[in-house]
Amino acid sequence: MASKSTGFTAAEQAAMKERARELKLEAKAGKLRADGEAELLAKVAEMPVAERVMAERLHAIVTATAPTLLPETWYGMPAYARDGKVVLFFQGASKFGARYSTLGFNDSAALDDGAMWATAYALTTLSPEVEKKITALVKKAVRAGTVSRQ
């Protein structure tokens, strides 16, 4: 004798609700990424040519190296965040009339190295050697965010 199905079990219903919640969060994250990236690229487009080229290359490096970071702007500068906190940012020299552009890392990057370490780097050009150093710093900053801090 065949038994009549009474629908989904409580566990199945809970799993479906959880998946629906996950899909909503994924859609929201995708929209945040797209909106943030559009805003970032608009700010980059406003930069003088030399800074724009540098910012575009940095954007390519960061998005390839750390796709989990969300692109956004921070005080009108290109930035990349995790969990709502800016991890790193690019400040063009023209922003505040500085001598050189800067790649900066905030506390959430946790680049700690002994009793003293750099959190900002002057940039005059992006050679292959400099790009390798930036890639290593971005990787370290992303790893630091995945390790629980005490």
Side-chain angles (χ1 to χ4, degrees):
M1 177 173 193
S3 64
K4 184 176 178 184
S5 174
T6 58
F8 295 106
T9 66
E12 290 170 329
Q13 289 176 349
M16 287 186 290
K17 285 180 183 177
E18 184 65 20
R19 183 61 184 143
R21 186 187 67 75
E22 291 167 355
L23 289 171
K24 284 180 186 176
L25 288 174
E26 288 172 12
K28 184 178 179 182
K31 182 170 177 13
L32 286 174
R33 175 174 292 283
D35 290 350
E37 188 165 32
E39 187 176 349
L40 180 148
L41 293 174
K43 286 296 182 185
V44 168
E46 296 171 2
M47 293 178 174
V49 175
E51 291 173 24
R52 182 172 59 242
V53 169
M54 194 177 297
E56 288 170 345
R57 186 66 196 127
L58 283 170
H59 180 66
I61 291 168
V62 174
T63 55
T65 304
T68 58
L69 295 180
L70 290 176
E72 60 179 48
T73 57
W74 187 60
Y75 295 99
M77 298 176 284
Y80 302 85
R82 173 183 50 235
D83 300 328
K85 295 180 182 177
V86 170
V87 175
L88 67 120
F89 61 93
F90 173 73
Q91 178 183 306
S94 65
K95 180 77 174 172
F96 298 111
R99 193 173 83 182
Y100 43 76
S101 296
T102 306
L103 175 64
F105 293 84
N106 285 338
D107 295 3
S108 58
L111 296 178
D112 308 36
D113 184 20
M116 183 176 150
W117 58 89
T119 58
Y121 298 84
L123 296 174
T124 57
T125 187
L126 291 182
S127 66
E129 180 183 339
V130 171
E131 288 185 12
K132 284 180 186 178
K133 289 179 182 180
I134 291 170
T135 300
L137 285 167
V138 172
K139 284 180 181 179
K140 184 175 181 181
V142 172
R143 274 194 312 269
T146 60
V147 177
S148 62
R149 301 194 53 203
Q150 299 163 359

